[in-house]
Amino acid sequence: MRKIVFLCLLSVLVFNCGSKKKAASVKTKKERVVRNQNTRSATSSTQPKTNNTAPTTTPNTTSSSSSPTVAYINLYHAVAMEEMKLYGIPASITLAQGILESGSGKGRLSVEANNHFGIKCHDWTGAKIYHDDDRSQECFRKYNDAKYSFRDHSLFLKERKRYYKLFELDPDDYRGWARELRAAGYATDRRYPEKLIDLIERYQLHQYDDQVLGNPASRNRIRTVTSTNVPASVDNFGNTYTVQKGDTLYSISKKHNLTVEQLRKMNGLKNNDLQIGQVLSVK
């Protein structure tokens, strides 16, 4: 009997110990779970939040593209300055004529024939291109490189007697040169001088004359022309308008209270075709 009682008490004791161990084990597991959760929570609160969008490390270098006229000046001002050194023709005049005659390098003759001054064949024995001008399919000179067009322009003025008065003018008198070109018969457009002068003053082309002549006041001011230091399309006096992308004769005429026919007559236009960078008289 005693043995039976002893075994019962021993069984109860063993069962109680096992229950305590299980309870302790469960408690310990719960504590570990809680500690792990607290640890993860603390860790996540100290880490920076991840942004799905990568940070921008490269500055935005996109800028508005330069106008065709600005690009033309930057490309050819050195050539015009070299021609001035050799032949005495103001670089400002050469550049302004090139811009006007070639539509800032976008006209057919300049694109297909590197002819920036509309020089016709005359006694030319080189390559030719045919283009509608005063008459249908006239013969124009074609060059391998635009620089030869600039050289031919210099020779054209220098070697023809009717232009001799040009070389009696001061090389920095671009206004006098512009007017004498018209008087000598270079162009039939009565506003040709004003168009050249407007271009020279709007884009400060006279700075290249100053650089060649070594004028002290402007020796250090020569710089690359940018679209930020020239007006967008209209000169200071409102006398001319530079054709922009999307312009038509109708839209330009409306801006300046003109009819399309008036605009064509003022600029000697035979049709409604326009070139970006083309300078039109609007007064």
Side-chain angles (χ1 to χ4, degrees), residues 41-71:
S41 176
T43 302
S44 63
S45 66
T46 58
Q47 295 293 327
K49 292 183 179 179
T50 302
N51 193 333
N52 292 330
T53 304
T56 301
T57 58
T58 304
N60 183 7
T61 57
T62 304
S63 60
S64 59
S65 58
S66 296
S67 74
T69 301
V70 169

Side-chain angles (χ1 to χ4, degrees), residues 12 15 22 25 29 32 44 60-61 67 84 89 93 103 120 132-133 144 150 155 171 198 223 229-230 245 252 272 274:
V12 170
F15 177 80
K22 285 182 180 179
S25 176
K29 286 182 180 179
R32 279 203 298 268
S44 63
N60 183 7
T61 57
S67 74
M84 182 177 181
I89 302 166
I93 287 290
K120 296 179 181 179
D132 291 347
D133 192 51
N144 292 329
F150 279 76
L155 295 173
D198 285 343
R223 66 194 186 284
N229 57 35
V230 294
K245 184 177 180 180
I252 296 171
N272 293 346
L274 296 174

Side-chain angles (χ1 to χ4, degrees), residues 6-24:
F6 175 78
L7 288 174
C8 290
L9 291 174
L10 183 62
S11 297
V12 170
L13 181 63
V14 170
F15 177 80
N16 287 338
C17 288
S19 299
K20 288 181 180 180
K21 285 181 180 180
K22 285 182 180 179

Side-chain angles (χ1 to χ4, degrees), residues 62-124:
T62 304
S63 60
S64 59
S65 58
S66 296
S67 74
T69 301
V70 169
Y72 187 94
I73 294 166
N74 289 334
L75 188 59
Y76 293 111
H77 73 267
V79 178
M81 290 169 65
E82 183 63 23
E83 293 302 307
M84 182 177 181
K85 293 174 185 176
L86 293 172
Y87 296 97
I89 302 166
S92 59
I93 287 290
T94 299
L95 283 170
Q97 285 190 282
I99 293 167
L100 200 57
E101 302 287 343
S102 74
S104 298
K106 300 297 183 181
R108 177 174 177 256
L109 288 177
S110 56
V111 172
E112 297 183 20
N114 287 313
N115 189 334
H116 287 231
F117 300 91
I119 300 178
K120 296 179 181 179
C121 288
H122 301 298
D123 55 352
W124 179 253

